[in-house]
Amino acid sequence: MKITKILPLLIAFISINAIAQDGPFMRKKKEQIKALKVAFITNELSLTPDEAARFWPLFNAFEDKQQEIRQQRLKGYLDRMDDESFNKLSDKEASTLLNQMENTEDELYQLKKKFVASLKGVISPIKILKLKKAEENFNRKLLQQYRDKKRGG
């Protein structure tokens, strides 16, 4: 399986884990990561001041909604999976849980489609593609830094 298919799930799980441990230290780390991401995307997209003024509110609203969906729904699924009762799920219960997870993934996908559609009036199609690439590159670099820190510490 390609890393591009695994990476969003991995990031979702890491995000959910970070939310679960959301103390002052974690909030500060999340703010630092967000600031780094904003700087990275700004640099990669070379937004004009007008584009930036229209882009960032859309991007931030999208990120907030995406985080809200992940926090509310995916965390609930993971909590059930961590529970001892997970091993005792019936096929019917597992099927229901799987359907709920698929619906959540579809909701995230629809949110992404709506976000891209809203960007079409704000930045060029090339910059929308660059955004996708910048987000993937940022996540890859963040994951690599995490791995390097784990190995070194």
Side-chain angles (χ1 to χ4, degrees):
M1 189 180 288
K2 286 187 172 186
I3 189 77
T4 56
K5 292 184 180 186
I6 296 171
L7 194 58
L9 287 175
L10 181 62
I11 290 169
F13 292 143
I14 291 170
S15 297
I16 290 166
N17 188 33
I19 291 165
Q21 303 171 8
D22 204 12
F25 176 75
M26 287 307 296
R27 273 193 294 278
K28 184 178 179 186
K29 280 291 183 194
K30 285 197 295 188
E31 289 171 13
Q32 288 174 337
I33 290 170
K34 185 171 177 132
L36 290 170
K37 185 175 184 177
V38 166
F40 188 84
I41 289 172
T42 298
N43 184 54
E44 293 295 306
L45 297 186
S46 303
L47 296 173
T48 67
D50 180 55
E51 288 173 332
R54 294 171 39 211
F55 169 81
W56 287 112
L58 293 172
F59 182 84
N60 290 332
F62 166 72
E63 290 269 299
D64 291 347
K65 182 65 177 170
Q66 188 172 242
Q67 185 66 28
E68 178 185 314
I69 291 169
R70 285 184 176 138
Q71 184 175 0
Q72 288 176 351
R73 296 191 185 92
L74 292 179
K75 186 179 182 320
Y77 306 144
L78 290 177
D79 286 347
R80 286 188 228 162
M81 286 184 203
D82 289 342
D83 193 16
E84 285 182 25
S85 65
F86 177 71
N87 291 326
K88 299 174 186 172
L89 284 177
S90 69
D91 281 349
K92 183 179 178 183
E93 291 169 323
S95 183
T96 299
L97 183 57
L98 185 58
N99 285 334
Q100 290 171 344
M101 291 175 75
E102 289 172 345
N103 289 339
T104 298
E105 288 299 323
D106 187 52
E107 187 177 353
L108 288 167
Y109 173 72
Q110 294 303 323
L111 179 66
K112 181 75 169 182
K113 280 181 65 172
K114 185 178 173 185
F115 172 61
V116 169
S118 69
L119 286 180
K120 289 180 180 177
V122 175
I123 59 176
S124 70
I126 284 282
K127 287 187 179 182
I128 294 171
L129 292 173
K130 284 182 177 182
L131 171 63
K132 176 72 175 157
K133 184 177 179 191
E135 286 180 299
E136 288 178 7
N137 287 342
F138 179 81
N139 291 336
R140 191 174 297 115
K141 287 180 181 190
L142 187 64
L143 189 58
Q144 187 59 49
Q145 285 180 354
Y146 176 77
R147 285 180 184 151
D148 292 347
K149 185 177 179 183
K150 271 281 231 218
R151 270 189 236 129

